Amino acid sequence: MIYDIAIIGSGPAGYSAAIYAARAGKKTVMIAGMQFGGQIARTMHLENYPGFAQKIDGIFLTEEMRKQAESFGAEMKMGSVVSADILKKIKILNTDGGEKIEAHSVIIATGTTPRPLGMPNEAALIGKGISYCATCDGFFFKGRDVAVVGGGNSALIESLHLSTIARTVYLVHRRNEFRAEEINVARARETENIKFITPAEIDEFITDEKGALKSLRLSVDKHEQILDVSAAFISIGTMPSTAFLGDVIELDNSGYIITEPNLTKTTVDGVFAAGDVKAPRFRQAVIAAASGAQAAMEAVDYLYTIE
Ligand code: NAP
């Protein structure tokens, strides 16, 4: 079967695109990724998505979006797209499960993945004290001392979340100023068991005899300090998930997809990009959702031109 619109990614951009595409009567499929919901599904407290006066979490929001998309007939598939042949009229997406999905148009809503700090033993310590998701892994460090690295909204929100689980949360940031919104910084400063360590660079992840993280060797204001922690949550921003595209589509220097001004149309005919994967600056769920809706509307218009 050849779908009208294939959507890659299941964050707010992907779901919103699926709702609009399926509701427009187009045969729509979503390739959701390794798990449904994208990055926002890791968020415990979502308080700025319009329409919800009470606090909701990311899983609730994206599950509602999924049900809404399915109610209009959008088909959902788990899995990741590993390569894509998108230059021809019929686009082909190859998944890690060996499936070949054909569609007349494609919406890329793959978002971003966490940026590693770049320490030599960082990858080996994943699952042994290094994590990129406090919501997912925080519970394993109940009552222990942990660090969060970064000074953006994510780092501050992760610190606040961890402060309810861990004994002490050390917020390690390379500058004294924070990129995060003042409301998040103020909440963290008011939280007794969050300790700010700035300006601090991480020089080494020190491990114990079992190969698990034991401490961080830091330069705090240029003075060496050893900080004993059971875990370090790295929260220093994200990178766009565009590697599977190869070099057929135009990306900026950081790998974000370039689209026409005010549109989601990419440099490849019939291929659209929505959400964080094209938005290095305003990475917000509500903006991603709007962008997904726009991508679906542009894809529907495109389908008329090829009929
Ligand atoms: P971000 O805003 O880009 O912040 C990244 C942080 O990591 C910065 O403090 C940066 O330090 C630091 N950093 C970057 N590279 C580093 C390195 N090599 N070593 C040490 N520190 C490093 O990323 P984010 O917090 O993941 O947020 C991403 C986007 O999502 C932002 O637009 C954010 O506003 C948004 N967001 C919004 C909410 C919300 O509730 N509204 C929640 C989460 C995220 P410098 O400041 O020194 O560069």
Side-chain angles (χ1 to χ4, degrees):
M1 117 128 81
I2 301 174
Y3 292 96
D4 292 320
I5 302 178
I7 298 158
I8 315 174
S10 63
Y15 279 134
S16 179
I19 292 164
Y20 273 73
R23 192 168 175 274
K26 301 300 170 196
K27 265 185 290 174
T28 302
V29 65
M30 172 189 279
I31 302 107
M34 303 295 279
Q35 57 195 39
F36 285 112
Q39 290 281 317
I40 195 80
R42 298 164 155 206
T43 303
M44 295 291 276
H45 304 291
L46 201 53
E47 54 187 18
N48 54 7
Y49 195 90
F52 300 95
Q54 79 283 20
K55 271 187 196 165
I56 55 167
D57 63 37
I59 291 182
F60 172 81
L61 180 70
T62 50
E63 278 301 289
E64 289 298 300
M65 289 177 168
R66 180 161 70 88
K67 287 183 227 160
Q68 198 177 354
E70 283 174 333
S71 77
F72 294 117
E75 204 179 306
M76 305 286 162
K77 288 178 189 282
M78 291 295 287
S80 299
V81 174
V82 288
S83 64
D85 185 359
I86 52 174
L87 290 179
K88 301 200 189 87
K89 258 183 116 178
I90 306 288
K91 324 287 182 199
I92 300 171
L93 306 176
N94 301 301
T95 73
D96 53 357
E99 217 178 330
K100 209 179 244 312
I101 293 162
E102 293 186 314
H104 295 289
S105 67
V106 171
I107 296 174
I108 302 165
T110 43
T112 57
T113 49
R115 181 189 302 284
L117 201 55
M119 306 302 285
N121 55 350
E122 186 169 351
L125 283 171
I126 295 171
K128 294 180 176 173
I130 294 297
S131 167
Y132 302 89
C133 177
T135 314
C136 322
D137 301 328
F139 186 76
F140 298 122
F141 302 98
K142 198 169 167 41
R144 315 273 280 279
D145 294 336
V146 302
V148 172
V149 183
N153 275 322
S154 302
L156 272 292
I157 290 169
E158 301 240 284
S159 300
L160 287 163
H161 169 61
L162 286 166
S163 72
T164 63
I165 302 169
R167 184 172 63 175
T168 309
V169 178
Y170 296 101
L171 180 62
V172 178
H173 176 42
R174 65 184 177 184
R175 293 190 295 135
N176 288 326
E177 300 75 33
F178 287 85
R179 204 176 278 269
E181 288 166 85
E182 189 44 45
I183 186 171
N184 290 326
V185 180
R187 281 176 182 164
R189 285 204 191 279
E190 284 159 14
T191 304
E192 216 173 304
N193 64 338
I194 299 182
K195 312 277 182 220
F196 285 57
I197 303 184
T198 66
E201 301 274 352
I202 296 187
D203 295 326
E204 189 184 353
F205 292 147
I206 301 171
T207 54
D208 63 16
E209 62 289 348
K210 288 186 186 146
L213 183 72
K214 186 175 86 163
S215 5
L216 307 179
R217 187 161 62 81
L218 306 173
S219 300
V220 185
D221 220 357
K222 301 201 173 72
H223 298 286
E224 183 178 295
Q225 183 181 327
I226 303 293
L227 183 69
D228 291 337
V229 286
S230 305
F233 292 86
I234 313 300
S235 188
I236 60 165
T238 53
M239 306 177 301
S241 307
T242 46
F244 70 95
L245 289 167
D247 57 4
V248 296
I249 209 163
E250 206 180 331
L251 308 175
D252 72 10
N253 290 338
S254 308
Y256 289 89
I257 297 176
I258 293 175
T259 57
E260 284 194 9
N262 301 319
L263 292 175
T264 66
K265 187 178 188 308
T266 69
T267 46
V268 175
D269 244 15
V271 178
F272 305 85
D276 287 8
V277 76
K278 62 160 272 200
R281 184 150 171 225
F282 299 109
R283 282 171 290 177
Q284 297 291 311
V286 65
I287 293 171
S291 158
Q294 180 179 343
M297 292 167 88
E298 286 180 43
V300 169
D301 284 351
Y302 167 79
L303 292 172
Y304 285 125
T305 68
I306 59 164
E307 269 173 9

